[in-house]
Amino acid sequence: MPTTDKDLAENWPGKSPAEGCDIFHPAAYHMLDVAASAEELLTSFEIPQGAADALVLLIFLHDLGKIGNEFRDMVTGVNVDGYIYRHWELSETWLFDHQARIAAHLGIRPRALFQLIAAASGHHGRPSRRDMNDDYIRMRDRAGVQAAEDAATLIDRALALWPDADLSGMSTKETKRFSWWLAGLTSAADWIGSNQEWFPAQHADLSFDAYLDEARVKARAAVSAAGMATTPVSTDRLFDFELRPMQKAAQDIPLPEGPCLAIIEDETGAGKTEAALLLSQRMLAAGKGLGLFFALPTMATSDAMYSRMRQVIGKMFVGTPNLALAHGRAHLSREFRATISNEARGDSDVSCTRWLADDRRKVLMADVGVGTIDQALQAVMPTAFATLRLFGLSRQILIVDEVHEMGNPYMARELEELLRLHAMRGGSAILATATLPLDLRRRLVEAFNKGAEIATAPDLDDPSYPALTLSCGETITNFPRTASAKGPVRVQRIGSQTEAIDRVVHLAKNGACTLWVRNAVDDAIAAVHALRARGIRARLLHARFTLFDRKTHERDIMKIFGKEGQDYRHKKDGTAEVLVATQVVESSLDIDFDAVVSDLAPMAALIQRAGRLWRHMDKRPREDRPVAEPVLYLLSPLPRPDVTGKWLDNVMPKGRWVYPLHDQWRTAHVLLQRGQITAPDDLRGLIEAVHGPDACPLPEELIKAEERRNALDDVEAGRAAHRIIDVEEGYRAGGDGEDGEQYPTRLGRPTITIHLLRKTEPEVVTWARRVTPAYSELQVPLHRLLAIDNLPRIPDDVYAAHTEKWTHWKKRGTRVFHVPKDGRICAGLRYDRKYGLLFE
């Protein structure tokens, strides 16, 4: 007697009963749940119906390996320890056995189909690594003869459910490329279809046709509840203010057919983010994407961008779009937590479903995601569920802000590949920058055009600035030349730290709010001590505070130096506030100063730092400033032609090695020779004078340093090229599915997390006791901590109490210390709320 749908459903459970339920959800029903979810997800993509049916058919078969004795015994509790082969590995085995007839049904060669079989089967983060001979034989034996027969019957039913499935003519090369996207789609559909709230367990009393009809209804509601349903884009005016030149160009530039890369290059504060939003709104309306993902260089800049997007993104869509935040500490963002499952309060509101918010990888599938560039770069690394990221990004217009900060050889190579793969899947992108070297711009455009198979390209050597460049050849550079309200920034050299302290004291006592940007944390702390010794109220900001203390300092800093800051002078005698900070202030905080002192750094960093000068001229016009002009005081030795490799030692004892010596020498040489920064006219020339092919010649000893650095750059680029995925191999061969530690998105010295505790009678609590424990943590270079002898251990019972819920990975990468009242953790290590972690 033929096996019936009821037999297949009753004999092979797919899910253990949920809490309070005694029903084993049938494997076939679960497969139909996932197929219906995939069907609903695919409605957002322009895919021919026959091809869409073929993908749904393959996704239905993703869990065919649950038809097997091992999985059934494991789910029912008969033999949990005997579960040797994973069910998804058996899925590949069953499908391999029948790939010839499945291929015939789809109109495709069996060899080409195998790439898609492996993709649908490998939906748990990585493809199967099983040998197709010995392992397949063992899996068949352990699964049982009846399972083999029922798996074949279930394949027959799949072919009958989707009779018009068609992939005619798809080559092996095409299926290898496509397999990455299919694996991601399968994972997304499986995550939705596995949610027992949306697809509750059901008795095996319906035919597959009848159950599929029910599953389709549930899938429509589930995809919407997950936040994966497409929110229509609005064509209404996005901003009420008068558009600046770059913003107007973004609104007017003709868009080509197909994938498109746009590069927005303009000075700091010119409204590049608004220009990117205007352009992305037009791209969405033209069908170039379903949503947006903003990629930023740091968690701080991501948080700042998220705050900005909450105010405007609701106007871009019809309805209430999902706006999500993605980085390692996103769950600590108050604004993000307030957005999760927020009830709509008007047409311009945003929300975020809990399903999207509970995993960083899902955020890439929201209507609008904001996060660090790492979240996107992981899509091109062979890590677990990288394909889910690739699938999520394929729905989005990728917007990379501050792209110049991702120009180191390792990250630049990753970004090139990300743009190439994004274009290959039909995606569009926008890059925004103030200081992008022409060589990096050329490489990024060429990578995108290669993926999109665009033959025409703009003049990539055109140095015009500002510029709005499209990868297909359209470019706007004829922007009106309007004088900046603050005018040129004069550059004046300071030759020693003593002179720098004298200058800051003089400025502060004359009422000028001053920023001193230091390259190293230890130098910043030393500067604050020196200024306070001179009676100056100096605040401090760097990355070696616990998150709680850093956020507290940032809030205080914004109250004084932010756009709406009112307490502009602290003392009655007119002495102004001073902020000493590291690179953390270059882009994450919107702050405004009368004067800026900076340690010598590469040109791009100095341009960013100079952007903190006279920033909000509408709030604080020239006549209200205590100084006559904006000046960048540059702490630097003279860039003589006979300098040695130690030329920075006396001026910056701690921060001299933060940046390459040759870049710093060229920057000092060019900037001091010109004597000013004029934005936007001079910015391109300043950058190219340091990073371009005709950069000024170096002293002989620094030539050797540059050669060593170039060799290291080649090594780093090679490491990135070796680590990123090769889509031409196909998902089965190229998707390792390792953890992120094996494939980092950034290079650098290893860091370690420090978790701080303190004593409050009668108990030991986290440093920031009334908030989540992560606020009591900070990261430091591992070598600095290991250099301290006799690091203390807290009592075992205290450690166990505070780390009870930590994962093994969390425990391995974290040291826990108790901070006594005097702050002294041990000899050589101290923590202070005002100064942060001190290595003494």
Side-chain angles (χ1 to χ4, degrees):
M1 179 181 295
T3 305
T4 66
D5 290 357
K6 192 175 190 305
D7 294 332
L8 288 172
E10 285 182 338
N11 292 341
W12 305 106
K15 294 284 183 183
S16 300
E19 186 176 350
C21 175
D22 59 357
I23 303 174
F24 289 88
H25 195 50
Y29 284 5
H30 166 67
M31 293 159 66
L32 290 167
D33 295 336
V34 175
S37 299
E39 205 169 59
E40 188 65 24
L41 291 173
L42 283 169
T43 59
S44 299
F45 297 89
E46 295 182 359
I47 298 177
Q49 189 58 52
D53 284 353
L55 299 182
V56 173
L57 186 157
L58 291 170
I59 291 173
F60 167 76
L61 296 170
H62 78 291
D63 266 352
L64 192 63
K66 289 184 175 180
I67 311 301
N69 292 337
E70 269 198 312
F71 183 81
R72 180 171 59 188
D73 291 348
M74 187 271 295
V75 169
T76 57
V78 172
N79 186 10
V80 177
D81 296 332
Y83 189 38
I84 297 175
Y85 297 106
R86 307 298 95 174
H87 68 273
W88 48 274
E89 295 170 335
L90 182 58
S91 293
E92 186 182 89
T93 305
W94 291 148
L95 292 171
F96 178 75
D97 289 347
H98 298 276
Q99 69 175 350
R101 65 192 184 95
I102 299 172
H105 182 82
L106 300 179
I108 191 174
R109 295 176 60 191
R111 184 178 178 184
L113 177 65
F114 179 73
Q115 301 297 328
L116 305 183
I117 286 174
S121 301
H123 59 281
H124 281 279
R126 67 175 179 84
S128 172
R129 300 191 185 100
R130 296 297 184 182
D131 180 82
M132 294 170 62
N133 293 311
D134 293 342
D135 281 326
Y136 276 18
I137 292 171
R138 295 190 188 98
M139 278 191 278
R140 291 188 193 98
D141 290 342
R142 294 181 68 87
V145 175
Q146 185 60 53
E149 293 176 358
D150 286 355
T153 302
L154 198 51
I155 291 174
D156 290 335
R157 293 293 288 118
L159 303 183
L161 286 169
W162 290 279
D164 300 321
D166 183 14
L167 293 176
S168 296
M170 203 170 186
S171 67
T172 302
K173 179 180 180 180
E174 290 171 324
T175 57
K176 282 183 175 181
R177 288 182 172 183
F178 190 72
S179 62
W180 301 89
W181 190 83
L182 177 59
L185 170 62
T186 307
S187 293
D190 185 55
W191 284 13
I192 294 173
S194 297
N195 188 300
Q196 296 187 22
E197 179 183 347
W198 299 331
F199 297 92
Q202 186 162 327
H203 290 291
D205 52 8
L206 291 175
S207 69
F208 293 167
D209 299 80
Y211 185 83
L212 180 57
D213 289 339
E214 287 193 3
R216 283 169 170 155
V217 175
K218 295 174 186 174
R220 280 191 289 274
V223 169
S224 178
M228 292 283 289
T230 304
T231 304
V233 65
S234 170
T235 56
D236 291 345
R237 183 181 173 91
L238 200 55
F239 301 110
D240 296 330
F241 53 77
E242 183 178 352
L243 299 183
R244 299 181 184 182
M246 181 60 74
Q247 295 162 356
K248 191 169 188 315
Q251 188 179 61
D252 296 340
I253 192 169
L255 293 179
E257 296 292 329
C260 174
L261 170 67
I263 302 180
I264 300 171
E265 299 174 274
D266 207 345
E267 64 176 309
T268 302
K272 294 186 293 295
T273 298
E274 290 78 9
L277 285 169
L278 289 164
L279 189 57
S280 62
Q281 182 185 33
R282 295 178 58 214
M283 287 180 169
L284 290 173
K288 297 183 185 299
L290 303 175
L292 313 175
F293 182 74
F294 278 86
L296 285 300
T298 65
M299 288 188 282
T301 51
S302 299
D303 289 342
M305 181 64 74
Y306 187 82
S307 180
R308 295 175 69 179
M309 290 305 102
R310 282 193 71 193
Q311 308 304 317
V312 69
I313 211 68
K315 300 176 183 178
M316 188 179 286
F317 294 88
V318 178
T320 306
N322 282 288
L323 173 64
L325 180 64
H327 58 64
R329 290 177 169 172
H331 64 289
L332 302 180
S333 166
R334 294 180 180 178
E335 289 195 282
F336 183 37
R337 294 200 305 270
T339 308
I340 297 171
S341 294
N342 181 35
E343 293 294 331
R345 296 187 299 272
D347 293 338
S348 296
D349 270 353
V350 296
S351 65
C352 182
T353 67
R354 295 192 181 278
W355 188 85
L356 286 172
D358 70 10
D359 191 293
R360 276 177 281 174
R361 294 163 294 197
K362 295 177 183 176
V363 170
L364 299 173
M365 296 180 276
D367 291 312
V368 180
V370 179
T372 57
I373 184 63
D374 309 84
Q375 305 306 318
L377 292 179
Q378 286 179 53
V380 300
M381 310 296 272
T383 55
F385 289 104
T387 56
L388 190 73
R389 296 178 186 273
L390 271 177
F391 168 72
L393 280 174
S394 74
R395 298 162 46 98
Q396 311 295 62
I397 295 168
L398 174 63
I399 303 175
V400 185
D401 200 9
E402 310 286 358
V403 69
H404 53 273
E405 294 198 22
M406 303 152 203
N408 68 74
Y410 187 84
M411 291 187 75
R413 183 65 188 87
E414 291 176 296
L415 184 56
E416 288 177 50
E417 188 64 12
L418 176 65
L419 290 173
R420 187 179 78 87
L421 297 187
H422 190 55
M424 186 183 293
R425 285 298 317 145
S428 292
I430 300 171
L431 311 180
T433 177
T435 54
L436 188 67
L438 288 173
D439 177 65
L440 180 57
R441 183 178 74 169
R442 179 185 306 107
R443 284 156 45 204
L444 296 178
V445 171
E446 288 175 348
F448 185 91
N449 283 358
K450 183 178 180 181
E453 299 182 351
I454 297 175
T456 59
D459 179 3
L460 298 177
D461 294 318
D462 184 356
S464 299
Y465 187 98
L468 173 57
T469 305
L470 299 188
S471 59
C472 60
E474 187 76 27
T475 302
I476 295 178
T477 58
N478 58 335
F479 292 94
R481 293 296 186 228
T482 56
S484 170
K486 69 181 179 184
V489 172
R490 185 164 63 86
V491 178
Q492 180 175 326
R493 189 181 75 88
I494 294 176
S496 69
Q497 292 199 67
T498 300
E499 186 182 346
I501 292 166
D502 290 342
R503 175 63 60 180
V504 173
V505 170
H506 173 78
L507 287 165
K509 288 189 174 181
N510 282 276
C513 284
T514 304
L515 168 67
W516 186 358
V517 186
R518 310 234 57 186
N519 294 342
V521 175
D522 292 335
D523 283 349
I525 294 171
V528 168
H529 280 298
L531 290 169
R532 288 180 177 175
R534 298 278 295 272
I536 300 300
R537 171 85 172 180
R539 295 177 180 271
L540 178 64
L541 185 66
H542 54 69
R544 234 159 59 195
F545 286 104
T546 64
L547 184 61
F548 179 82
D549 291 337
R550 177 171 169 175
K551 292 292 185 183
T552 301
H553 292 316
E554 286 181 354
R555 284 195 296 271
D556 292 342
I557 287 166
M558 291 302 296
K559 289 177 182 177
I560 300 169
F561 306 113
K563 186 173 184 178
E564 304 301 328
Q566 298 300 318
D567 186 14
Y568 215 46
R569 290 176 175 82
H570 180 71
K571 294 183 178 179
K572 292 181 180 180
D573 63 3
T575 303
E577 295 267 6
V578 170
L579 173 63
V580 180
T582 58
Q583 299 89 334
V584 296
V585 298
E586 285 183 12
S587 56
S588 59
L589 298 178
D590 186 9
I591 45 184
D592 177 11
F593 294 89
D594 298 316
V596 171
V597 179
S598 175
D599 290 1
L600 178 61
M603 188 68 75
L606 290 182
I607 290 172
Q608 290 293 118
R609 296 174 188 184
R612 311 299 110 184
L613 273 166
W614 291 33
R615 188 171 177 85
H616 298 300
M617 296 298 288
D618 55 334
K619 297 285 185 179
R620 302 179 187 97
R622 178 181 295 271
E623 56 270 19
D624 291 346
R625 302 274 177 172
V627 292
E629 60 179 335
V631 180
L632 174 67
Y633 296 94
L634 185 62
L635 176 56
S636 168
L638 284 171
R640 294 190 177 95
D642 59 346
V643 301
T644 69
K646 297 182 179 181
W647 73 292
L648 286 176
D649 287 18
N650 293 330
V651 175
M652 288 181 286
K654 300 290 186 181
R656 63 193 184 278
W657 301 116
V658 174
Y659 301 106
L661 283 175
H662 58 279
D663 284 349
Q664 294 187 82
W665 189 92
R666 282 195 174 112
T667 297
H669 176 79
V670 172
L671 208 49
L672 294 176
Q673 190 176 65
R674 297 198 183 190
Q676 65 180 27
I677 299 173
T678 303
D681 294 355
D682 288 350
L683 297 190
R684 178 82 77 196
L686 290 172
I687 292 296
E688 292 304 305
V690 175
H691 300 289
D694 299 322
C696 62
L698 290 167
E700 183 175 351
E701 188 164 336
L702 295 189
I703 291 175
K704 298 175 183 177
E706 183 178 38
E707 289 173 347
R708 289 193 297 268
R709 182 68 205 190
N710 289 341
L712 180 61
D713 288 350
D714 290 342
V715 170
E716 291 184 0
R719 290 171 72 181
H722 178 71
R723 288 173 174 174
I724 58 182
I725 63 176
D726 183 355
V727 293
E728 307 301 335
E729 283 189 309
Y731 178 58
R732 199 355 167 123
D736 285 352
E738 298 289 349
D739 60 48
E741 291 184 4
Q742 300 295 321
Y743 296 95
T745 55
R746 305 178 192 229
L747 292 182
R749 283 187 165 182
T751 61
I752 189 167
T753 299
I754 292 179
H755 185 95
L756 297 182
L757 305 177
R758 60 189 176 93
K759 182 78 171 178
T760 60
E761 297 297 340
E763 58 182 343
V764 175
V765 298
T766 56
W767 181 258
R769 65 174 302 180
R770 290 184 174 84
V771 292
T772 182
Y775 275 96
S776 299
E777 295 177 348
L778 67 151
Q779 285 193 325
V780 298
L782 180 59
H783 76 280
R784 294 292 302 270
L785 198 63
L786 295 180
I788 298 175
D789 295 328
N790 302 316
L791 286 170
R793 285 177 55 89
I794 64 172
D796 290 344
D797 59 331
V798 176
Y799 180 84
H802 282 273
T803 63
E804 181 181 4
K805 296 181 180 180
W806 288 9
T807 63
H808 171 71
W809 174 84
K810 169 77 171 173
K811 291 180 180 179
R812 188 177 62 184
T814 306
R815 289 297 300 267
V816 182
F817 295 125
H818 172 253
V819 183
K821 287 185 177 181
D822 65 359
R824 190 175 184 271
I825 298 171
C826 65
L829 190 65
R830 188 161 66 88
Y831 187 81
D832 185 282
R833 288 189 186 276
K834 294 181 179 179
Y835 294 101
L837 191 71
L838 304 170
F839 292 94
E840 298 178 328

